[in-house]
Amino acid sequence: MALFSTDYNYNYNYAPTLLYLFLVFVLLRAVHGLNPTVLARQEADRVVNLPGQPQVDFKHYAGYVTVNESHGRALFYWFFEAVDEPHNKPLLLWLNGGPGCSSVGYGEAEELGPFFPRKGSQPRLNLNKNSWNKAANLLFVESPVGVGFSYTNTSSDINQLGDSITAKDSYAFLVNWFKRFPQFKSHEFYISGESYAGHYVPQLSEVIFDSNKQVSKSKFINLKGFMIGNALLDDDTDQTGMIDYAWDHAVISDKVYKDVKSKCNFSSTDQTEACKNALNEYFAVYDLIDMYSLYTPTCVQNSTTRRRLPAVNGIAPHLFSKFENWHRKPAGYDPCADSYTEAYLNRPDVQAALHANVTKMAYNWTHCSNNITFWGDAPASILPVIRKLVNGGLRIWVYSGDTDGRIPVTATRMTLKKLGLKIVKDWTPWYSHNQVGGWTITYEGAMFVTIRGAGHQVPTFKPKEALLMLKHFLANKTMPPKAF
């Protein structure tokens, strides 16, 4: 059975000569002091002859890292070295949420990675000139197992998924990935993500933070901080903020707004029939416009089919996630981009080049997994974790595209107020190319950044501004305070 197969034979479509391998080993060992076994494993994951790829000067690698040997769980990754001086750049892990959605499908292929699949009968990748590997070595992981190309040989694992096991498996992935790429182990390490990664990123950071206090030097991870965008952080404020934002942006009527506010209690998961009816009216509006980006067009290519995420029971927010219309797929600036990505990643020659689908899945690769239907644990608030990590001295930035209706800027502002950090510098404009790019609030221990005109997937809608933000985050500098 594809998802649980034990077949682990790579199908390489290239055959380097012994001389080439010898020269690679000599060069890399001279530079990094790596042994031949490590070098050979890295070279086995090296991506060459990727269909439709433009010529680039940086190296990239893809493959599997086992996170649980007894269960046969392995996570698929795609890693891009920085465009310039990768040996001097930090390492950034990017996670998409869902839960159950692919960081390769969204993050790499449609937001901030180097290669974007394009429409056409022949495979074609466009080079993203605002790729985040211009600022960092960039790592994407499909997590948890069951997402994208990641798999398990133990079928019961899929029914045991939740926030905790996702964080633990992601940590195991990192420990083992650094064994494969030890030359990056001393680099500053950061994590970023969006949406449900508002759970993933702080929780993984907490596991690393706690583990670093007791592990040996060989397992120590040089975590410096994290940055999360349009992030699900607190059920109460996230849900309240969605309703307030929708009314404030002329999405819902006064009546719908009044009905929801008077009949629903977002601090509870148990709601009356009147509340359910009011929320159905609220969600119905997003059959007409894109919840993730209020002012961009919807895809008409498949206009007769509603674009839904798989419904997963037990996830946060515990009330809204019970409604069908909450499970809506995000689109991008090109609202049909996900169809190009799925066509590309389901090509056998692409999978062979990426050393992917080694289990010969019985189903097509999709952005979000149809196999994950149950989520075992999802705390209603991540704020206790964030408070702990703020106190632990990690660098923490929260950013928000201000045209997103899914996890809107209104909700995030309410959440950060609830977090209770002291404001060091209030609402301050920042600039990008002589224009206001958004606003910042500097807290004692955290930074909040808005990105003007961006939807849920900020790097998709405002790629230049997103890259600028990343560079300032990594440099631990405030956003540009004046026009330049």
Side-chain angles (χ1 to χ4, degrees):
M1 184 171 166
L3 180 60
F4 316 116
S5 168
T6 57
D7 181 11
Y8 197 73
N9 295 318
Y10 288 114
N11 179 18
Y12 303 120
N13 64 347
Y14 67 101
T17 65
L18 291 176
L19 177 61
Y20 169 75
L21 284 174
F22 174 76
L23 292 174
V24 169
F25 291 166
V26 170
L27 176 62
L28 289 179
R29 189 170 189 181
V31 174
H32 301 296
L34 303 179
N35 67 55
T37 301
V38 170
L39 293 175
R41 193 65 189 89
Q42 289 183 18
E43 192 61 23
D45 282 3
R46 177 91 175 271
V47 178
V48 296
N49 299 325
L50 183 64
Q53 179 195 307
Q55 185 174 352
V56 295
D57 294 328
F58 57 83
K59 297 176 183 177
H60 56 118
Y61 305 79
Y64 287 91
V65 171
T66 299
V67 297
N68 186 302
E69 291 188 6
S70 63
H71 282 226
R73 294 204 299 268
L75 299 183
F76 178 78
Y77 80 92
W78 197 353
F79 170 60
F80 300 86
E81 289 190 354
V83 172
D84 298 310
E85 299 184 324
H87 55 285
N88 288 328
K89 294 287 198 306
L91 173 66
L92 178 75
L93 169 66
W94 174 268
L95 299 172
N96 278 90
C101 294
S102 167
S103 301
V104 168
Y106 284 118
E108 194 294 312
E110 296 172 23
E111 297 187 66
L112 55 111
F115 303 136
F116 289 179
R118 296 283 64 135
K119 183 179 182 180
S121 57
Q122 296 299 317
R124 183 164 68 94
L125 295 172
N126 281 0
L127 185 64
N128 175 17
K129 62 182 180 180
N130 295 295
S131 172
W132 284 17
N133 76 325
K134 289 195 170 184
N137 297 287
L138 190 55
L139 176 61
F140 299 93
V141 179
E142 293 191 309
S143 174
V145 292
V147 174
F149 295 121
S150 295
Y151 69 90
T152 178
N153 291 330
T154 306
S155 58
S156 60
D157 283 350
I158 300 299
N159 297 322
Q160 303 297 320
L161 294 177
D163 283 12
S164 296
I165 194 170
T166 299
K168 291 176 182 176
D169 276 2
S170 295
Y171 176 71
F173 167 88
L174 288 171
V175 170
N176 291 330
W177 188 88
F178 278 119
K179 291 178 182 177
R180 190 172 304 178
F181 291 89
Q183 67 266 39
F184 292 100
K185 197 168 188 313
S186 62
H187 290 219
E188 291 189 346
F189 178 64
Y190 299 91
I191 313 175
S192 189
E194 68 193 8
S195 197
Y196 201 84
H199 281 224
Y200 288 166
V201 172
Q203 289 168 333
L204 174 57
S205 298
E206 182 182 31
V207 173
I208 297 171
F209 181 81
D210 290 343
S211 298
N212 276 348
K213 297 175 181 177
Q214 55 190 15
V215 297
S216 63
K217 184 178 179 181
S218 64
K219 290 186 177 181
F220 185 89
I221 295 174
N222 192 21
L223 176 66
K224 295 298 183 181
F226 62 82
M227 181 172 69
I228 43 179
N230 292 81
L232 192 73
L233 296 171
D234 184 87
D235 278 14
D236 186 9
T237 50
D238 286 339
Q239 293 172 142
T240 300
M242 284 182 69
I243 302 301
D244 287 0
Y245 181 89
W247 180 82
D248 217 21
H249 286 72
V251 173
I252 58 174
S253 69
D254 291 358
K255 180 182 181 300
V256 171
Y257 178 72
K258 180 181 177 182
D259 286 347
V260 173
K261 296 293 273 189
S262 63
K263 296 172 182 176
C264 296
N265 174 13
F266 293 136
S267 297
S268 172
T269 58
D270 297 320
Q271 297 296 338
T272 64
E273 197 65 29
C275 172
K276 294 177 183 178
N277 292 336
L279 287 176
N280 280 328
E281 286 190 73
Y282 158 74
F283 279 115
V285 178
Y286 289 116
D287 281 331
L288 308 175
I289 61 175
D290 188 351
M291 177 188 286
Y292 291 86
S293 181
L294 298 190
Y295 307 115
T296 53
T298 57
C299 182
V300 297
Q301 183 172 290
N302 299 307
S303 58
T304 58
T305 303
R306 290 184 177 183
R307 300 159 63 77
R308 303 287 186 201
L309 294 168
V312 182
N313 296 318
I315 59 172
H318 293 284
L319 174 59
F320 276 19
S321 62
K322 295 177 181 179
F323 287 80
E324 180 188 2
N325 278 13
W326 170 260
H327 304 281
R328 180 182 302 278
K329 271 192 176 183
Y333 179 73
D334 177 347
C336 304
D338 62 348
S339 63
Y340 314 150
T341 300
E342 292 197 11
Y344 184 80
L345 289 176
N346 278 299
R347 291 179 59 98
D349 54 349
V350 170
Q351 293 176 0
L354 293 175
H355 319 127
N357 194 14
V358 297
T359 57
K360 304 303 177 187
M361 301 182 304
Y363 51 86
N364 284 340
W365 180 97
T366 59
H367 281 78
C368 300
S369 173
N370 292 308
N371 298 306
I372 299 172
T373 58
F374 174 78
W375 202 250
D377 64 287
S381 181
I382 301 296
L383 295 186
V385 176
I386 294 180
R387 288 191 191 98
K388 172 182 175 179
L389 298 177
V390 166
N391 293 334
L394 291 188
R395 186 182 314 158
I396 297 174
W397 283 30
V398 178
Y399 66 89
S400 185
D402 65 10
T403 67
D404 175 29
R406 180 64 178 264
I407 312 291
V409 64
T410 306
T412 302
R413 292 172 73 179
M414 290 178 176
T415 300
L416 292 175
K417 184 177 181 180
K418 188 175 180 180
L419 185 60
L421 299 177
K422 180 182 177 182
I423 294 177
V424 176
K425 190 173 184 180
D426 210 348
W427 207 244
T428 305
W430 63 271
Y431 289 82
S432 173
H433 302 286
N434 297 315
Q435 298 293 326
V436 173
W439 310 86
T440 64
I441 300 177
T442 305
Y443 292 95
E444 200 170 77
M447 176 72 73
F448 175 54
V449 182
T450 74
I451 299 87
R452 192 161 68 98
H456 189 71
Q457 300 156 285
V458 168
T460 298
F461 297 100
K462 292 289 182 176
K464 293 179 181 178
E465 290 80 359
L467 180 58
L468 179 68
M469 177 178 63
L470 173 68
K471 289 178 177 178
H472 281 73
F473 165 71
L474 294 175
N476 199 21
K477 295 181 179 179
T478 58
M479 297 297 288
K482 59 182 179 180
F484 69 92

